[in-house]
Amino acid sequence: MPCARRRRRCAGELAAHFGLSLRQFERRFHASAGQSLRALRPQARLNRLLLNTRWTPSPDWADMAATAGYADQAHLHRDFVRYAGRTPSAYVEGLGDDPALHLYRLPRAVILRMCAEPGLRG
């Protein structure tokens, strides 16, 4: 699927936005973030899912996995444990207790405003 048809930006579009070749962008990203774009993708996918889960009272994990682009619920569960350090159910139950998750308790509009960079909104 071409980048223009997706809501998120692909690496080539981001590189062009900053006036860099794709390879230059990848090298600079790795130098500043300490990981490759490929390593960041599953973390970003889970982060988007976490933000959407915050406003879902009783999430249907299979449906959320499909919506987020996971092959199945087992892949979602694996990434959840790997990157969030807990199962999806434990995440929902402990959302109010863990200071590391306070970002996800902010109102949706505030989070979107904080995460959006001018010129990259799509």
Side-chain angles (χ1 to χ4, degrees):
M1 178 182 309
C3 296
R5 292 183 58 200
R6 287 185 263 157
R7 294 201 41 84
R8 61 185 169 92
R9 302 285 179 168
C10 70
E13 287 178 340
L14 288 172
H17 175 79
F18 292 110
L20 301 169
S21 71
L22 178 58
R23 184 65 186 127
Q24 287 174 322
F25 180 75
E26 289 171 340
R27 279 195 303 266
R28 289 185 185 190
F29 182 87
H30 192 279
S32 73
Q35 64 182 348
S36 68
L37 286 169
R38 182 178 180 148
L40 178 69
R41 284 185 185 115
Q43 295 170 35
R45 178 171 55 176
L46 181 65
N47 190 53
R48 284 190 304 274
L49 184 127
L50 290 176
L51 289 172
N52 290 329
T53 303
R54 161 61 176 87
W55 293 281
T56 306
S58 298
D60 175 357
W61 293 111
D63 184 47
M64 295 199 78
T67 301
Y70 286 95
D72 56 27
Q73 188 174 347
H75 286 90
L76 165 67
H77 189 274
R78 181 197 63 212
D79 276 1
F80 227 103
V81 172
R82 178 183 293 155
Y83 299 118
R86 59 186 70 196
T87 65
S89 301
Y91 166 77
V92 171
E93 290 170 9
L95 188 59
D97 304 332
D98 189 344
L101 299 175
H102 284 187
L103 168 68
Y104 300 106
R105 290 180 18 211
L106 294 173
R108 184 180 186 91
V110 172
I111 292 173
L112 294 175
R113 196 170 45 248
M114 287 175 16
C115 297
E117 181 178 335
L120 290 181
R121 294 181 187 167

